[in-house]
Amino acid sequence: MSADRINLLRTKVFDKSKWMQLPRDVVIGHDVIEQIPAVCEDLALGDSVLIVSGGQTRDIAGKKVEALLAGSYDVATFAANDGDPLETIRKAEAAAAEAGFVIGVGGGRVIDTAKIASYNTDRHFISVPTAASHDGIASSRASVPTAEGNVSLAAEPPIAVVADTAVIASAPHRLLASGCADIIANYTAILDWELSHRLRGEPLSEYALTLSRMTAEILFKNADLIKPHSEESAWLVTKALVSSGVAMSIAGSSRPGSGGEHKFSHALEKLAPGKGLHGEKCGIGAIITMYLHGGDWEGIRDSLKKIGAPTTPAGIGVDDETAVAALLAARTIRPERFTILDMGLTEESARDLVKMLYRE
Ligand SMILES: [Zn+2]
């Protein structure tokens, strides 16, 4: 597939170098939240910690982490509330600067706030997700909503991930289904990456690509096992999200897990703010981009149905015309990230696709 390009590259002087930042401790399973003191001790990150949590997630797990560490560490807390996200990040940075390391205990917004604040203050970051809703729990990028739409910011990749399946299984099923959809969308992200490699010579990491595809395959094959409030399901999905994050760390970008379906999701975020979760939108987008790649789009749709994720724009309260507009606007999002949606999709054909592929 990419052998020709590899052979071409061999004629050049070898001058590659690369950093891959991977988590050191990944602890997943029943009641592993109890092992946080052992993880902190193992990593020897200092004697003061900032615990970032949310309103509800602090009650669910944040307070427990605070209590577990209180005897051995100087513990400070920060609430990532619903206010202006950039303002919240600035305040979190000021708090992180006073601490030796940072732990984020919560959902997407909390984890993103904690990892950006850690990155900007050069602190290590431990990720303690309370839901398995997207692959940011183990990656080095964070997405922040602003008035101009979502922006992707550099963030500290977690030095450890502590994912308690009892906590994650008790979160609303919609979050887990959304995390699954984000992973199943790896299939189309990879096809877009390969397309860009063939068409534009974009560098490809076979390791990252293979890991990302394998992660999608595991969830695709086990879609029947993904059930609400089951720890087995939380286990499967959390491992997949961590593996997907590792694939991104190996690639040094979000490319293995983010292609046209993600650009569609970001375009929808702008055109219909607040409608649908990140992974839900990516899953819906992947149905169309898989069709455009000539792949098994019905398989994608059926597996999303099985796990309980929406498969149509109507399923997240978006009308067909807005979905058409998002498909066309996708090419204006991160234009340097070339995908199948940048290949000349016309308005008429976008309309036909939405009508044809998004039937219940
Ligand atoms: Zn995603």
Side-chain angles (χ1 to χ4, degrees), residues 27-334:
V27 186
I28 303 179
H30 181 71
D31 279 350
V32 295
I33 203 160
E34 308 276 352
Q35 294 175 38
I36 284 187
V39 170
C40 293
E41 199 182 324
D42 178 47
L43 297 169
L45 302 175
D47 45 25
S48 65
V49 57
L50 176 71
I51 300 174
V52 179
S53 205
Q56 263 187 311
T57 48
R58 183 164 180 235
D59 287 338
I60 293 164
K63 282 181 181 163
K64 176 141 200 186
V65 176
E66 288 164 36
L68 284 164
L69 296 177
S72 324
Y73 296 85
D74 193 355
V75 175
T77 61
F78 181 85
N81 290 323
D82 287 329
D84 175 54
L86 291 173
E87 184 60 31
T88 304
I89 289 166
R90 263 191 296 276
K91 287 183 186 156
E93 278 170 20
E98 304 292 318
F101 64 103
V102 176
I103 302 180
V105 186
R109 186 171 41 85
V110 167
I111 298 287
D112 281 350
T113 302
K115 73 209 271 206
I116 296 169
S118 303
Y119 181 81
N120 291 340
T121 54
D122 205 16
R123 296 292 186 271
H124 280 302
F125 161 64
I126 298 177
S127 178
V128 185
T130 54
S133 58
H134 68 84
D135 53 20
I137 60 176
S139 75
S140 62
R141 302 295 299 180
S143 177
V144 179
T146 70
E148 291 81 44
N150 276 36
V151 289
S152 172
L153 298 178
E156 187 68 24
I159 191 159
V161 180
V162 180
D164 191 318
T165 47
V167 172
I168 290 168
S170 68
H173 180 66
R174 186 182 172 195
L175 299 175
L176 190 83
S178 179
C180 279
D182 203 6
I183 296 290
I184 287 171
N186 283 6
Y187 273 128
T188 50
I190 289 163
L191 291 173
D192 281 328
W193 196 9
E194 288 176 328
L195 176 71
S196 177
H197 173 70
R198 290 193 297 267
L199 204 62
R200 300 195 142 191
E202 181 179 337
L204 194 76
S205 159
E206 299 256 8
Y207 290 102
L209 190 144
T210 305
L211 179 58
S212 178
R213 181 191 291 126
M214 192 183 80
T215 308
E217 258 163 25
I218 289 172
L219 285 193
F220 189 78
K221 277 194 300 211
N222 291 301
D224 285 327
L225 301 177
I226 306 298
K227 299 278 180 248
H229 309 301
S230 124
E231 273 197 70
E232 185 88 44
S233 304
W235 166 263
L236 268 173
V237 180
T238 308
K239 282 203 305 179
L241 292 171
V242 171
S243 303
S244 192
V246 167
M248 293 187 211
S249 293
I250 292 172
S253 82
S254 59
R255 216 11 160 158
S258 169
E261 75 297 321
H262 271 68
K263 302 213 303 181
F264 169 76
S265 163
H266 295 316
L268 262 188
E269 187 65 43
K270 268 190 191 175
L271 296 168
K275 293 277 169 70
L277 300 172
H278 166 79
E280 292 177 338
K281 287 181 279 198
C282 294
I284 293 167
I287 294 173
I288 281 199
T289 55
M290 184 55 103
Y291 174 83
L292 291 173
H293 277 292
D296 180 16
W297 64 274
E298 285 160 307
I300 299 266
R301 184 195 57 191
D302 295 347
S303 62
L304 291 174
K305 265 192 192 153
K306 276 185 204 161
I307 59 176
T311 54
T312 63
I316 54 166
V318 168
D319 60 51
D320 283 0
E321 273 310 298
T322 307
V324 169
L327 282 172
L328 296 169
R331 67 183 71 140
T332 64
I333 312 266
R334 296 194 73 175

